[in-house]
């Protein structure tokens, strides 16, 4: 096959920063001197890529102070002035698209095809879209004011895209931010901070503090943070909710999911099989809205499983920098262990595991794609988020049964419905309790469409008009029903 994507520029950048990456606070990189560091590894081979500073309470205090100091001037800028910076950030990301794609792939383990064609283009799109909102926010949300200083904590599955989802709307509405990337994947956030510097973003508007859960807790609990935005596990979402309960802080949470993927017997079967590929084998299944629970109507189940197995066997697992690879490495040894043990449990509970007979690389956190049949809808693998490239498949007889199964979960993030009968599809879509429902498609994300969950998948929306609400002061929000009645 073709040679792997070259990592020369990225390697040169890493080599130039052998001392490690510090935080980005008040427009400057702190360096790592006198700080503890966290080693960042490449999940595809286990080699250390870099070290990043481990943020302390003092680092968080300094970042919040810088964000507070910048807030007055930044929020008072005319929206079109803020828009200029967001447009400039978008253009700079596009200019360094290849660099960002390679760096993200090395840091996270996801295939270069995905970082190049999905993650990084969506990041640029998100900043372009919100540059538009910066210009419009004054007229579209009359009398609005921003929330203030936003504390933002993000996960490792879409590192730069989650950063964009957090920072772009916050800045568009005139807020300033302190963001903590996941400790497993902090490197594209460092390169993003370089871009903030390059475009001359005023000091303190964006602050990046590296670190683990303790650093995240210091940000969320900081008394001068007005709004907390978190994406990650439901467990940590619950901890944060308890931590800030009783404070005046605004909160949005994007948590886990166990999204149903419903295939009715009149569906375009080949299309639905391709849908499964995008639903659960995209990003190694490390996707909060992954279609991880396949529900197939009984009459087509055997044919559907057969086609799915054949398609699964064509997937290529391996070096994520290789442009022909479909499935890269899981983010960490810990994640590989978690996925492995859940899959073992699924087998122990009587499930039949169909797994692609691929030869996995000897190093790195690789796991072959698969799916379970013969599983009880109330077994562990059908209920718990695996967050790996393994789905469960169960059958149903009637549309009512499909909806009941689909809603039999503590989550409510996303769903997809496959049918050639538009009445059936729309009816099912309306009855599935999920923040996003796709019809004859899956995992489609757009900067202009609100994304978010119900129940244990969290609350609040990101993207589009609804996403902006999260970054407007609470006094504006109170006027929302009035504004809608008009
Ligand atoms: P996590 O929730 O532990 O970590 C997410 C982020 O929160 C990281 O930046 C982490 O440093 C930070 N954090 C951890 N504890 C914190 C605390 N007490 N206060 C503030 N911030 C804190 O998620 P994880 O350990 O990376 O993954 C565990 C599981 O979470 C996965 O297996 C998956 O099921 C789920 N997950 C969901 C998403 C999603 O997008 N919904 C993303 C990643 C992981």
């Amino acid at each position: 096959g073709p040679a792997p994507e070259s990592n020369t520029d990225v390697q040169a950048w890493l080599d130039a920063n052998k001392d490690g990456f510090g935080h980005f606070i008040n427009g400057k990189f702190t360096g790592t001197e006198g700080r503890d560091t966290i080693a960042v590894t490449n999940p595809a081979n286990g080699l250390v890529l870099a070290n990043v500073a481990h943020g302390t309470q003092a680092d968080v205090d300094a970042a919040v102070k810088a964000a507070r100091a910048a807030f007055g001037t930044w929020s008072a800028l005319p929206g079109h002035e803020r828009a200029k910076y967001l447009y400039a950030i978008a253009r700079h990301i596009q200019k360094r698209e290849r660099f960002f794609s390679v760096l993200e792939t090395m840091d996270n383990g996801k295939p270069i095809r995905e970082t190049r064609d999905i993650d990084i283009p969506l990041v640029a799109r998100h900043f372009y879209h919100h540059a538009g909102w910066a210009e419009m926010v004054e007229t579209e949300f009359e009398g609005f004011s921003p929330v203030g200083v936003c504390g933002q904590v993000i996960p490792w599955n879409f590192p730069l895209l989650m950063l964009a989802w957090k920072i772009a709307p916050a800045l568009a509405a005139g807020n300033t931010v302190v963001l903590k990337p996941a400790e497993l994947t902090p490197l594209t956030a460092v390169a993003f901070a370089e871009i903030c510097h390059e475009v001359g973003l005023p000091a303190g508007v964006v602050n990046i503090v590296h670190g683990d859960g303790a650093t995240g807790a210091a940000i969320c609990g900081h008394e001068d943070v007005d709004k907390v935005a978190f994406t990650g596990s439901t467990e940590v979402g619950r901890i944060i909710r308890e931590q800030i309960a009783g404070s005046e802080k605004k909160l949005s949470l994007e948590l886990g999911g166990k999204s149903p993927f419903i295939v009715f017997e009149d569906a375009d079967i080949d299309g639905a099989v391709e849908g499964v590929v995008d639903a659960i084998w995209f990003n190694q299944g490390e996707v909060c809205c992954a279609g991880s629970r396949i529900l197939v109507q009984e009459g087509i189940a055997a044919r559907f499983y057969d086609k799915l197995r054949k398609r699964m066997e064509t997937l290529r697992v391996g070096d994520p920098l290789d442009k022909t690879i479909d499935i890269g490495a899981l983010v960490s040894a810990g994640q590989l262990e978690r996925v492995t043990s859940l899959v073992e449990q699924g087998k122990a509970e009587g499930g039949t595991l169909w797994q692609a007979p691929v030869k996995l690389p000897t190093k790195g956190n690789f796991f072959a794609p698969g799916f379970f049949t013969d599983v009880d809808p109330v077994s562990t693998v059908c209920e718990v988020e695996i967050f790996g490239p393994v789905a469960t498949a169960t059958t149903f007889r009637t549309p009512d049964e499909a909806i009941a199964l689909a809603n039999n979960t503590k989550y409510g993030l996303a769903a997809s419905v496959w049918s050639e009968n538009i009445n059936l599809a729309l009816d099912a879509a309306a009855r599935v309790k999920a923040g996003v429902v796709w019809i004859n498609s899956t995992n489609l994300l757009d900067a202009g469409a609100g994304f978010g969950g119900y129940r244990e998948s969290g609350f609040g929306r990101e993207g589009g008009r609804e996403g902006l609400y999260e970054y407007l002061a609470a006094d504006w929000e109170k006027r929302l029903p009035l504004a809608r009645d008009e």
Side-chain angles (χ1 to χ4, degrees), residues 153-157 180-183 211-213 216-217 220 230-233 235-236 239-240 243 254-256 288 335 338 385 387:
V153 177
I154 58 171
W156 41 257
N157 54 345
K180 190 192 82 62
E183 57 271 44
D212 58 10
C220 298
F230 171 77
T231 298
S233 62
E235 298 75 53
V236 172
I239 293 171
I240 292 174
Q243 182 191 14
E254 298 277 357
L255 309 172
C288 51
Q335 190 63 14
R338 189 188 133 86
E385 188 178 35
F387 230 62

Side-chain angles (χ1 to χ4, degrees), residues 260-429:
F261 184 102
I262 308 171
V263 188
F264 287 108
E265 61 194 2
D266 68 347
D268 163 5
I269 293 195
D270 292 332
V273 164
E274 234 20 71
V276 173
V277 176
D278 292 336
I280 191 67
W281 296 320
F282 163 58
N283 205 44
Q284 296 79 239
E286 296 170 324
V287 181
C288 51
C289 54
S292 50
R293 275 190 303 140
I294 304 168
L295 307 173
V296 195
Q297 202 154 7
E298 213 172 62
I300 57 162
R303 199 149 56 94
F304 187 78
Y305 294 160
D306 192 46
K307 286 196 175 221
L308 192 55
R309 272 194 298 272
K310 292 207 173 83
R311 178 66 178 92
M312 181 174 75
E313 283 167 13
T314 69
L315 294 173
R316 299 186 51 159
V317 188
D319 178 5
L321 284 173
D322 178 335
K323 291 168 194 144
T324 67
I325 284 299
D326 300 300
I327 298 184
L330 296 179
V331 72
S332 64
Q335 190 63 14
L336 176 61
E337 225 175 86
R338 189 188 133 86
V339 170
T340 307
S341 90
L342 277 167
V343 168
E344 286 309 315
Q345 193 165 345
K347 287 196 268 183
E349 287 178 0
T352 305
L353 177 69
W354 304 94
Q355 207 171 17
V358 289
K359 195 165 173 292
L360 298 178
T362 48
K363 271 191 249 149
N365 314 315
F366 293 93
F367 196 89
F371 66 98
F372 276 106
T373 57
D374 309 317
V375 273
D376 189 322
V378 293
S379 63
T380 309
V381 278
C382 286
E383 290 186 333
V384 174
E385 188 178 35
I386 296 177
F387 230 62
V390 181
T392 58
T394 50
T395 59
F396 64 86
R397 286 190 181 164
T398 64
D400 282 347
E401 198 191 340
I403 303 302
L405 282 169
N407 288 335
N408 186 20
T409 170
K410 60 182 184 168
Y411 295 112
L413 194 52
S416 16
V417 175
W418 295 76
S419 167
E420 292 297 290
N421 175 347
I422 192 66
N423 296 318
L424 177 62
L426 286 173
D427 180 61

Side-chain angles (χ1 to χ4, degrees), residues 104 108 110-111 114-115 118-120 122-123 154-166 181-182 185 188 231 278-279 282-290 331 387 443 445 451:
E104 195 79 302
N108 168 278
K110 64 173 79 193
E114 291 179 8
T115 50
I118 299 169
D119 292 61
I120 308 304
L122 282 178
V123 169
I154 58 171
W156 41 257
N157 54 345
F158 292 88
L160 194 65
L161 186 59
M162 290 302 102
L163 174 149
W165 281 27
K166 294 281 179 285
T185 56
T188 46
T231 298
D278 292 336
F282 163 58
N283 205 44
Q284 296 79 239
E286 296 170 324
V287 181
C288 51
C289 54
V331 72
F387 230 62
N443 274 345
L445 305 168
F451 179 91

